[in-house]
Amino acid sequence: MGPEPQTLPPSPNWYCTRCSDAVPGGLFGFAARTSVFLVRVGPGAGATPGTPPFRVVGELVGHTERVSGFTFSHHPGQYNLCATSSDDGTVKIWDAETKTVVTEHALHQHTISALHWSPRVKDLVVSGDEKGVVFCYWINRNDSQRLFVEPRTIFCLTCSPHHEDLVAIGYKDGIVVIIDLSKKGEVIHRLRGHDDEIHSIAWCPLPGEDCLSINQEENSEPEIPNGKVTAQTTEAKGCYLATGSKDQTIRIWSCARGRGVITLKIPFLKRRGGGVDPTVKERLWLTLYWPKNQPTQLVSSCFGGELLLWDLTRSWRRKYTLFSTSEGQNHSRIVFNLCPLQTEDDKQLLLSTSMDRDVKCWDMTTLECCWTLPSLGGFAYSLAFSPEDTGYLAIGVGDGMIRVWNTSSKKNNYDVKNFWQGVKSKVTALCWHPKKEHCLAFGTDDGKVGLYDTYSSKPPQISSTYHKKTVYTLAWGPPVPPMSLEGEGDRPSFTLYSCGGEGIVFQHNPWKFSGEAFDINKLIRDTNAIKYKLPVHTEISWKADGKFMALGNEDGSVEIFQVPNLKLMCTIQQHHKLVNTMSWHHEHGSQPELSYLLASGSNNAVIYVHNLKTVLDSNPESAVTITEPFRTLSGHTAKITCLAWSPHRDGILVSASYDGTAQVWDTLREQPLHNFRGHRGRLLCVVWSPLEPECIYSGADDFCVYRWLPSTQAHSRPPQGKKSIELEKKRLSQPKPKPKKKKKPSSQMPIKQESFEGNEEENTKENAVPVENGVSDQEGEEEAQDPEAPCELAPVVSREPVIYTPISSSCEKSKATINNKVTVLKKEPPKEKPEALVKKRKARSMLPLSTSQDHRSKEELHQDCLVLATAKHSEELNEDVSADLEERFHLGLFTDRDTLYRMIETEGKGHLENGHPELFHQLMLWKGDLQGVLQTAAERGELTDNLVAMAPVAGYHVWLWAVEAFAKQLCFQDQYVKAASHLLSIHKVYEAVELLKSNHFYREAIAVAKARLRPEDPVLKDLYLSWGAVLERDGHYAAAAKCYLGATSPFDAAKVLAKKGDAASLRTAAELAAITGENELSVLLALRCAQELLLAKNWVGAQEALQLHRSLQSQRLVFCLLELLYRHLEEKQLSEARGSSPSYHTWAMDTEGPFVQRVTAVWKSVFGLDSPAQCRAALQRLQDIKYPSATNNTPSKQLLLHICHDLTLSLLSQQMASWDEAVQALLRAVVRSYDSGNFTIMQGVYSAFLPDGCEHLRDKLGDRQSLAVPAFRSLEAFFTYGRLYEIWWSLSRAWSEPSVWVRADRRKTLSTEQSQHVDGASAEETGSEAACWPEPSSPPELSVRLSEESEHVLSTCQELFSETHASLQNAQRTVAQVQETLAEMIHRHRKSLLCKSTASDPSENEPEQETEAPPAGPQSQCKEEENEPVSLPELTRRLTEANQRMAKFPESIKTWPFPDVLECCLVLLHIGSQCPGCVTQELQQQAQELLRKYSNTKAYERHCRTFCT
């Protein structure tokens, strides 16, 4: 492994009393999430000269949940030991040098809240939990002791530096106790004075109480007995103790007297730019540090992140000094931990961790900040380097902040600036303006798009148009209509494009950000006359010249559009899953044509690279569909999340994947180069440094950004199998977002990170962003949304006061509870009797209050009669009678109507109060006020079916209103179907359909719409499309296809059926497309289906799939030839044909007769190909299909298909007697197998198509000057080349296997010298086929001789030793060598210029150049030896001469490939050395002469010395 990569680590954990620590010598550690990060500080850090002397050197990985405590052993000789506690319930002891666990225990049953390594006892670690239990653990003897001191929540504990048995413990309620471990935890002192959480305890560094001159009368606390009065012990005498509490005070305690002697009140300090209101209870964490050998000074934190140095000897008002008064040096949020560090050069430093996510280092002599280590509080979602401010790296983080890292700074390796204003959500996308300095666009998890000026303190501009879901990608590009149609001065040169999770791409005008953004789908639909549903967009990428835009889609397709009107140029149907990332190659390389390369990655693990130059340059009238990639990069085992091309080297690509690794590829060779495995999570982003050619930055869901060098990585490809599983386990060792048991607030630590966990939503493109491994944004992303705003965390911590009662009172309380329960149980049985008699009760009275009035005393009843008589027979009622009637409302039955109404109202109110609204409604109906009843019932949500059924009595409009009100009420009760039925009863069909649709009752909505609306109503189509989209998202593709068919969108139906990608789905989709007239799509799907069946060797199924379309007849011929050739190879027992037994056609089982005759016979009998016109039509169709050239990494099955395509062209040309084309196509097939390095397939092609050699083709071509004669010569040369290798290989196994080429005799053996010569020569072979060359050696008793056929082949080898071809190949090698040397020189020149421009001092530049120099391996040393003495004019002369030599050769020779002449010479000389006399002396001399003349490369020079000296 190379050096540790530079790390931007996760933020230190919040609200922990001791989660960072340091030891003399310069090692500092802090807990972040589930691990501990180690930082080397001081001269030994190995930092770059001129930068702050610190470096992140490693990580302690092992806990599964948040680390709550971290402490070093401060004993000389074991500074490498440290201890951690975690919410997973364990305490682990680590060796920081090896980063391994020494031992651990899981004694605690509750959450551990405090931890300390005793400064007096070497192997003692003390820990406490939130239930008040303390464990002492002795490491060396693996022994422990459990102490239960107080039934309170422990907040912090600190062991005494002077007395090995004393431990001070601070509790949540403000109590501090000092216990004696030697007396089983007996309380020596109980110190009362604080009334809130104890955050920190610090012992005075010097023993005794003479170090502070304290006026006892003035400063001492009143004499209050603190708990148990004990005799003064020698251990307790002479110690001071300082405690910091949430009650905003610091108290100094005397252990000798057991009481407080000094109280310090934390001051409110006004910040620049605003003050603090003292009436608002500020959030506070009060941590302390008592400097060593300075008992009169004390360091503490403050409200806003400031650090204070208190002078304990001052008695006047200002007792403190503020650390670093310069702007921006202090923390901006509260400080959690302070720990001292003494470096190797004896500097006294102080390290602090804070809520502002910074780790700061302070010089204790000057009180100034030495350096700052920034950190991340969320996933690193996006990385982007500025094209103008070179070296500025923007990082989008899940904690709601953007970091801009100046990676080119020579004075500070971590020059990071934070931007948080206006963000308020996870930053998921970033993009710098291509021309305007300091202009950074960002997108967030909640759909917001904004622009930041990174050189200004102003808040960002926010677009008025929001995405409905997460912003996936941002890209700057040229304006398109309607924005490009504005006047010259009204439109910008670049507009901002944003792609969101809902699948829409918006175009924003940066000059009018408050204006509405435009959806480019409308322009795409209008320009290309698209009628079917557009795919859901997931990615956007602009070509560097701004002429073409690529859109990646959810269905895996990639579409290329041309500006200005976004004309669809082509569609790439390669991925079959959601496209996550795309990247165009840059334009500034040595090969401008590479700018047409487009790399893309999706949710499957394969990266495809397409060369779009031919398609885009031809400007086709209609869109072209591309199904074959230019290059395929396979190796990752999970989804691809990001791709980036190297700006320094052509064709070099880096990819990030969910498999936890980043991979560097050589795309042109399809070769993996370097694999980075430093992250502990899934990678989300990766970017190449524009300044340093060998430097890459990557970010992941482990809250880290790493800077790493590809050349120093130990691995070259992503992990497979077991390694991949180990990486997955490593990732899963991070905490999982699982629900925790709710604990009472009274027994909890102060707000832990878990209280702010918000699990990030799943998905990098599927549902926006990936699930964060473990504690999601531990510090709480709600916190980070507004770092300056006051946050009410503190009240949450202690929202329930803790009240502890004596044991006796709690027992009495529990007894009372039991007695109450028993009493209740005794009273319950009598209640059951009336419940059993409920059925026999009479119906509830409608007028219960009036009835009860008739059961009063006789006197009251008589008085009723008198009042009633007076009211009935008096002509005018006086006030007394009216008052009596109001009091005796029940008399309304016997008086007038108004009185009756009052009685009904009174009875109705009684029913409502008793919970019987239905009786109230009946009374209102008696009264005749039906409309009032309905209105009251609607307001109270008490409408019923009966009331609505009676509503027509009050009139038609009342009925309509009542039905609508009842429907709303039913919606509140989640009875949507019933509500829709009621809406239908008043003929509100559209409202009913919309109600069902909006609540996802699609089936019911379609049934209603189909039954009640016109067939052509657009609502019905919208229903089908909406339901189809939902079903498609949920994976119900067949049901979604039926919906699209119902919406008359057969194109979408076929596409969604094909989405699963298996053969059955593809065939069904192809048949559906054919039935509905989508012929082009049907052809594409049928061919995909056949290719899928081909992979499974299902030849019969593949032909059946191709039968679906007449236009695929030519492809059927290719598949037929492939099946017969596969069968032929299987008979030969070749490796490519071994495997599972395939299902052949019956016509493929006949193996009699020559192969070509069998193929043509099957074509005629099965496929009806018996006329030249049919052959010509098939030939024209196949000639339109072009496959990319083969490489060493082309899969064998794909290679066979491409070869059979060329062989089919050759056979069809033979059928038409077009021998020129036949020879050329046959040669292309042979060259394709030669380029792929697959010698086996090449020999199989020869055995099938040229079993007797090439003579019959020579006869067909004749002696005329045919254009195919050079092609024939190449074909004949390759044939002889293959035979030559077979002869040589047969020599190596002549004694074990019989061969037509070699005979073995038991005669004299090779001489010792000759045998060594042969072995030595073959061991050094490095030609194009060197990997295949054997090392021949034979038993001493055997000698070999060649057969007559071999001698015949050797006699024809003269054709291979072509002087013309050797000269041409020599010139080509020279050109390649010179180009490689020039590229290396340009690379070095760029680096030297970069170093000069970025270095402020020449002395600083030297070590950097040394580190950037490439590793001096054997190859690089050889290159240096060869290239160093060569000047640029000399290289130019060589290149010119080689090009001039190449120009003299005729085009016929340069057009067709030819075997490597020098390679053939070497093989022939090997044969001659193994079988003396079989090769003529003249032939050997000719081979040696060619080697001497043209072996100007290292590989051939070495062999030339072997055979020619």
Side-chain angles (χ1 to χ4, degrees), residues 288-349:
L288 304 175
Y289 159 58
W290 209 323
K292 191 175 182 181
N293 300 324
Q294 292 181 337
T296 62
Q297 294 182 337
L298 183 69
V299 180
S300 79
S301 60
C302 197
F303 287 101
E306 301 89 352
L307 297 183
L308 307 177
L309 180 65
W310 297 87
D311 188 338
L312 303 181
T313 61
R314 295 188 183 182
S315 58
W316 55 90
R317 186 175 181 185
R318 180 134 181 118
K319 299 181 179 181
Y320 58 84
T321 304
L322 190 63
F323 273 55
S324 184
T325 55
S326 56
E327 181 71 27
Q329 291 296 307
N330 272 300
H331 288 288
S332 59
R333 311 288 290 280
I334 57 175
V335 175
F336 291 113
N337 290 137
L338 296 172
C339 55
L341 184 146
Q342 182 178 354
T343 62
E344 296 171 354
D345 51 358
D346 292 330
K347 282 188 178 179
Q348 297 297 329
L349 305 177

Side-chain angles (χ1 to χ4, degrees), residues 966-1128:
F966 190 39
K968 290 180 182 177
Q969 177 182 313
L970 291 171
C971 288
F972 282 118
Q973 298 168 355
D974 295 337
Q975 299 184 50
Y976 302 109
V977 177
K978 186 176 180 180
S981 301
H982 278 277
L983 289 175
L984 289 174
S985 69
I986 57 174
H987 306 291
K988 295 206 172 188
V989 181
Y990 287 105
E991 289 83 349
V993 171
E994 181 60 30
L995 174 64
L996 292 170
K997 175 192 168 186
S998 60
N999 291 284
H1000 307 296
F1001 289 93
Y1002 292 104
R1003 196 183 300 273
E1004 291 80 359
I1006 290 174
V1008 170
K1010 201 87 172 168
R1012 299 289 291 270
L1013 300 177
R1014 292 174 291 109
E1016 63 273 13
D1017 197 305
V1019 170
L1020 188 58
K1021 183 175 182 179
D1022 180 61
L1023 278 173
Y1024 281 126
L1025 292 176
S1026 300
W1027 193 19
V1030 171
L1031 292 169
E1032 182 179 352
R1033 188 176 67 240
D1034 294 341
H1036 305 301
Y1037 298 133
K1042 289 188 282 188
C1043 289
Y1044 291 137
L1045 287 172
T1048 63
S1049 296
F1051 184 90
D1052 294 324
K1055 280 189 69 176
V1056 75
L1057 266 181
K1059 205 167 184 180
K1060 195 169 185 182
D1062 62 296
S1065 300
L1066 289 170
R1067 171 153 189 164
T1068 306
E1071 292 179 1
L1072 189 151
I1075 293 170
T1076 56
E1078 298 285 349
N1079 292 323
E1080 186 178 347
L1081 179 62
S1082 179
V1083 169
L1084 181 65
L1085 293 174
L1087 187 56
R1088 272 185 61 193
C1089 176
Q1091 290 172 346
E1092 286 290 329
L1093 292 166
L1094 178 64
L1095 296 176
K1097 303 178 187 175
N1098 187 350
W1099 307 102
V1100 178
Q1103 288 287 354
E1104 289 176 354
L1106 294 174
Q1107 279 179 342
L1108 293 174
H1109 273 276
R1110 184 76 180 167
S1111 60
L1112 293 174
Q1113 178 73 11
S1114 57
Q1115 289 290 341
R1116 294 190 66 198
L1117 302 180
V1118 177
F1119 276 65
C1120 169
L1121 177 60
L1122 177 58
E1123 181 177 355
L1124 291 169
L1125 180 61
Y1126 200 90
R1127 176 73 175 149
H1128 175 77

Side-chain angles (χ1 to χ4, degrees), residues 731-802:
R731 186 177 66 77
L732 293 176
S733 70
Q734 301 183 65
K736 299 177 182 177
K738 58 184 180 182
K740 294 198 170 188
K741 294 180 181 178
K742 291 185 179 179
K743 302 185 175 93
K744 295 179 181 178
S746 59
S747 61
Q748 277 189 338
M749 272 285 291
I751 303 201
K752 301 179 203 153
Q753 284 85 336
E754 285 83 358
S755 61
F756 298 100
E757 288 175 8
N759 293 335
E760 299 259 8
E761 297 170 7
E762 168 83 27
N763 162 32
T764 35
K765 298 284 159 123
E766 286 179 6
N767 298 328
V769 281
V771 172
E772 298 202 355
N773 291 336
V775 184
S776 162
D777 299 2
Q778 295 186 348
E779 297 75 21
E781 294 187 355
E782 295 92 343
E783 277 297 318
Q785 287 172 5
D786 187 359
E788 295 299 329
C791 185
E792 297 299 325
L793 286 188
V796 181
V797 179
S798 56
R799 57 179 177 267
E800 290 189 18
V802 184

Side-chain angles (χ1 to χ4, degrees), residues 622-790:
S622 60
V624 178
T625 300
I626 298 175
T627 59
E628 288 293 332
F630 174 67
R631 292 291 183 263
T632 302
L633 306 178
S634 302
H636 282 298
T637 55
K639 68 172 71 173
I640 310 299
T641 54
C642 190
L643 298 171
W645 293 97
S646 168
H648 310 284
R649 296 172 60 193
D650 292 344
I652 303 300
L653 181 74
V654 63
S655 59
S657 170
Y658 256 31
D659 63 11
T661 68
Q663 176 67 42
V664 179
W665 308 85
D666 184 338
T667 55
L668 301 182
R669 299 179 184 173
E670 294 184 322
Q671 180 181 356
L673 301 179
H674 311 285
N675 185 252
F676 176 67
R677 304 182 182 181
H679 285 282
R680 292 185 56 232
R682 300 167 296 188
L683 270 73
L684 305 177
C685 50
V686 67
V687 67
W688 218 291
S689 170
L691 296 176
E692 303 168 87
E694 286 295 319
C695 178
I696 296 174
Y697 293 81
S698 58
D701 63 4
D702 59 0
F703 292 48
C704 287
V705 169
Y706 283 109
R707 173 191 178 275
W708 50 278
L709 306 179
S711 58
T712 62
Q713 303 309 309
H715 304 280
S716 63
R717 60 176 61 246
Q720 306 291 326
K722 292 182 180 178
K723 292 181 182 177
S724 180
I725 295 169
E726 288 171 6
L727 269 180
E728 184 66 13
K729 287 180 179 177
K730 175 180 168 185
R731 186 177 66 77
L732 293 176
S733 70
Q734 301 183 65
K736 299 177 182 177
K738 58 184 180 182
K740 294 198 170 188
K741 294 180 181 178
K742 291 185 179 179
K743 302 185 175 93
K744 295 179 181 178
S746 59
S747 61
Q748 277 189 338
M749 272 285 291
I751 303 201
K752 301 179 203 153
Q753 284 85 336
E754 285 83 358
S755 61
F756 298 100
E757 288 175 8
N759 293 335
E760 299 259 8
E761 297 170 7
E762 168 83 27
N763 162 32
T764 35
K765 298 284 159 123
E766 286 179 6
N767 298 328
V769 281
V771 172
E772 298 202 355
N773 291 336
V775 184
S776 162
D777 299 2
Q778 295 186 348
E779 297 75 21
E781 294 187 355
E782 295 92 343
E783 277 297 318
Q785 287 172 5
D786 187 359
E788 295 299 329

